[in-house]
Every structure is written in C-alpha cells, then in structure tokens.
Amino acid sequence: MRAILVLLGLALALVGCATARASIHSRDVIVVGVKADQPGLGLRKNGVFQGFEVDVGGYIARSLGASRVTFREVRSDDRELLLNRHAVDLVLASYSITPDRAGLVGFGGPYYVAHQDVMVRRGETRVQSVRDLAGRKMCQASGSVSTERVVVGLSIPARLVPASSYSDCVAKLRSGAVDAISTGDLVLAGFAAPDLRIVNTPFTDERYGVGMRRDDADACEAVNRAITTMYQDGTAGRLLDKWFGKSGLTLVREVPEFEGCS
C-alpha cells in the first residue's frame, strides 16, 4: 500500500510540474496585461482597452492560437508579480527589456524599439536636451527604470519627484510640481498636447518586449514569429500610423532584432 501511495504521489507531482510548465502556445484563452492610463499605448476608455500595445497584444495572442483574448490592467510596479502569479499570460506595457527584469520574467521580441526623450511644458525654453535636467525636478513613475538611465546612466543630478504612473507625471508637469518627464518617446507621444512639448533629442534605445513567464521557449519563439509576420504583412505599420502617425515622431517600420529565446 505504501508503495502505491508513493507512486501516486510521484505521478501527481509530475502532473503538477507539467501543468506549471505548460506553454501558453495554443491555449484557447490568453490574458494580456496592458496599461490603462497611457494614451496611444494602453488606455481604458468606457471600460474598453485601446491603444497600440492592446492591438499588438491581441494580434500576438491570436497568432499563438487563442480563440479569445482578454485584457487586464498592469502597472509598471506589478508586471512581474502578475505574470508569475499567472494572473496574466503576456504583458505589453512599455516593458523595456533589461538584464534585471530578464532575471525575473521571460521576454519575446522586442516588438518595437522606442527612444527615451524628454517632455516639458510648451513655454519651457531652458530644457533643450537631457543634460539640461541637471538640478531640475524630474518625475519618477513608480516601477519605471527611465529616471535611472538619466541620474545613474548619464550621471545627471536631476531632482526626482515620485509619482504613481506616467499619467500622474503628466498631471504634475502641468501643475508645475515637476519640470520634466523622461521616458520612451511612444509613451510621451501618447500624452502629446498643445500645452506640452517633446524636446526631440533621443538618447537611448527602449526595447519594448513581450513579458511572459520564464522557461516557456515555445511561446517565446511563437511570439517572435508573430511579430515578424506582423511587420511583414503591414499590420505593424498600419498600427503605428493609427496611434502615432500625427505625433511627428519618426516611426520605425522594420522588424526589430530579437533578444533570442532560451
């Protein structure tokens, strides 16, 4: 009897491991995590998610075989948590691929290479490049690594003012609580308005990746194939024009160089 129970326990453990490691590739329902407060990329309006990353996430999920795609809000500070808790299957949320993040989650893509830039109020003439942020108040969105690239990567002594999100940063910029916001140009373009100005002096590459759980090489490879097809069939170009065509940014329409799947 003991031997039977041991064998049964081993079998259940193996089933549990197989289930935990099962690929999301060909799953009927895929949950995509997107932002809810970033116009152009991911915005929830009247209960419906819309934006470039929402459209790209839907395209990728359907390419993986999903018959139904649902969207869930993620923030910059909870993307890894929601992925690893299986609350979402994929994340497209201006999620720059970095070595630290790649130690926590897996990445497909990137699906777009943006460039970090600076946004100020329209009447601000003293900030003409990232170097001009020295001594000025720069917004620091929770969970974002963009400010680190300025104050650590470039050693520019900006004065950081914390905010819950980039929409909060924009509100602080308008109120005068901060002097500037610095992050990927697609994020900034989504908030573009007559009273705000993008400095248009990019200084980094922001490789926006598709976040997923680690060790799902099948899904990663399928995501990369979907992104390649998305650019080759013209979908990527149409979506970039749809969401950012009026921004004045120079939009990249070639397939990005992928990070590779392990």
Side-chain angles (χ1 to χ4, degrees), residues 231-260:
Y231 276 86
Q232 292 176 341
D233 68 13
T235 299
R238 289 192 294 272
L239 293 178
L240 287 166
D241 286 336
K242 173 184 176 181
W243 294 107
F244 304 107
K246 297 179 181 179
S247 68
L249 292 177
T250 300
L251 299 168
V252 180
R253 301 171 186 277
E254 291 78 33
V255 183
E257 182 179 349
F258 296 142
E259 292 290 313

Side-chain angles (χ1 to χ4, degrees), residues 35-50:
K35 292 290 185 71
D37 62 351
Q38 287 188 183
L41 286 172
L43 181 69
R44 184 164 49 202
K45 187 174 182 180
N46 298 324
V48 178
F49 288 97
Q50 60 182 32

Side-chain angles (χ1 to χ4, degrees), residues 54-67:
V54 177
D55 289 345
V56 172
Y59 182 101
I60 291 173
R62 287 187 292 272
S63 295
L64 264 61
S67 58

Side-chain angles (χ1 to χ4, degrees), residues 199-223:
V199 174
N200 201 24
T201 55
F203 57 92
T204 67
D205 289 339
E206 300 288 320
R207 299 172 64 78
Y208 288 166
V210 180
M212 62 187 69
R213 286 177 286 279
R214 289 173 60 84
D215 303 323
D216 193 350
D218 287 346
C220 178
E221 291 169 359
V223 164

Side-chain angles (χ1 to χ4, degrees), residues 6-245:
V6 169
L7 290 173
L8 179 60
L10 289 172
L12 290 174
L14 289 172
V15 170
C17 289
T19 301
R21 296 176 182 176
S23 175
I24 63 169
H25 190 202
S26 300
R27 186 178 295 177
D28 288 338
V29 179
I30 290 180
V31 182
V32 181
V34 294
K35 292 290 185 71
D37 62 351
Q38 287 188 183
L41 286 172
L43 181 69
R44 184 164 49 202
K45 187 174 182 180
N46 298 324
V48 178
F49 288 97
Q50 60 182 32
F52 176 69
E53 291 179 325
V54 177
D55 289 345
V56 172
Y59 182 101
I60 291 173
R62 287 187 292 272
S63 295
L64 264 61
S67 58
R68 182 161 64 92
V69 183
T70 61
F71 297 95
R72 175 171 177 173
E73 178 184 358
V74 299
R75 303 187 309 271
S76 294
D77 59 3
D78 69 3
R79 291 174 291 203
E80 293 89 0
L81 177 67
L82 293 178
L83 270 172
N84 289 320
R85 284 187 175 177
H86 293 246
V88 296
D89 300 309
L90 302 173
V91 168
L92 289 89
S94 54
Y95 205 3
S96 297
I97 301 170
T98 68
D100 287 345
R101 287 171 176 168
L104 300 172
V105 300
F107 281 104
Y111 54 90
Y112 192 79
V113 180
H115 306 283
Q116 188 163 339
D117 213 314
V118 179
M119 176 178 276
V120 296
R121 291 180 292 277
R122 176 67 62 181
E124 175 61 78
T125 59
R126 297 167 297 176
V127 178
Q128 299 298 329
S129 76
V130 66
R131 294 289 174 188
D132 296 326
L133 297 181
R136 303 194 187 281
K137 292 178 289 185
M138 179 174 65
C139 196
Q140 182 178 32
S142 177
S144 173
V145 298
S146 295
T147 49
E148 183 179 344
R149 293 192 180 100
V150 175
V151 298
V152 178
L154 298 177
S155 300
I156 296 172
R159 297 158 55 195
L160 301 183
V161 177
S164 60
S165 63
Y166 279 111
S167 59
D168 188 19
C169 280
V170 171
K172 290 182 184 299
L173 181 61
R174 285 194 163 111
S175 72
V178 300
D179 300 313
I181 305 168
S182 182
T183 190
D185 51 11
L186 288 190
V187 176
L188 297 178
F191 288 109
D195 61 327
L196 303 175
R197 175 176 67 90
I198 298 176
V199 174
N200 201 24
T201 55
F203 57 92
T204 67
D205 289 339
E206 300 288 320
R207 299 172 64 78
Y208 288 166
V210 180
M212 62 187 69
R213 286 177 286 279
R214 289 173 60 84
D215 303 323
D216 193 350
D218 287 346
C220 178
E221 291 169 359
V223 164
N224 288 349
R225 289 194 297 270
I227 293 171
T228 299
T229 302
M230 182 180 70
Y231 276 86
Q232 292 176 341
D233 68 13
T235 299
R238 289 192 294 272
L239 293 178
L240 287 166
D241 286 336
K242 173 184 176 181
W243 294 107
F244 304 107

